[in-house]
Amino acid sequence: MEHVLHLTLHARELLVLQLVRPCQVRALSGAHWLSINGQDICLNSGEQALLPAGKLLLEGHGRLDLHGQTTAATTNTTLPLGFISIHNQTRELPCN
């Protein structure tokens, strides 16, 4: 069964997720920078990428969908996409 996490990022936000299994990310709008396991990925509206398990950093603006598959061993006590930690931080950026 497929599960989808819908995310909306705003300017100067950094979202950190711990993926315990691979998932598909799709940019629905805006522009996004992702970093996972030392690999940087830039996604614009309409683009997608397959992400491995690991610590994922997301920055940018617009909407993203993360698609995950549950397994037969998944129970109702498990978050569908397997995220074990979420941290949202807003940063001030200097204007030059």
Side-chain angles (χ1 to χ4, degrees):
M1 180 168 147
E2 182 180 61
H3 293 275
V4 180
L5 177 63
H6 305 287
L7 300 171
T8 300
L9 293 175
H10 299 281
R12 297 181 308 277
E13 279 188 321
L14 173 65
L15 181 64
V16 180
L17 303 172
Q18 182 68 41
L19 304 179
V20 296
R21 61 177 152 255
C23 72
Q24 184 81 22
V25 62
R26 180 176 299 133
L28 302 177
S29 67
H32 308 275
W33 167 81
L34 297 79
S35 183
I36 189 160
N37 301 336
Q39 178 185 4
D40 291 335
I41 302 167
C42 292
L43 292 179
N44 291 302
S45 184
E47 297 178 331
Q48 60 185 2
L50 180 60
L51 302 176
K55 187 175 188 176
L56 173 65
L57 295 108
L58 295 165
E59 207 172 14
H61 64 279
R63 293 179 20 225
L64 289 166
D65 277 354
L66 294 174
H67 298 262
Q69 296 287 326
T70 59
T71 62
T74 301
T75 66
N76 290 336
T77 60
T78 304
L79 291 173
L81 290 172
F83 301 132
I84 60 170
S85 69
I86 298 174
H87 178 73
N88 193 349
Q89 173 182 329
T90 301
R91 297 186 295 137
E92 291 292 324
L93 298 177
C95 295
N96 293 332

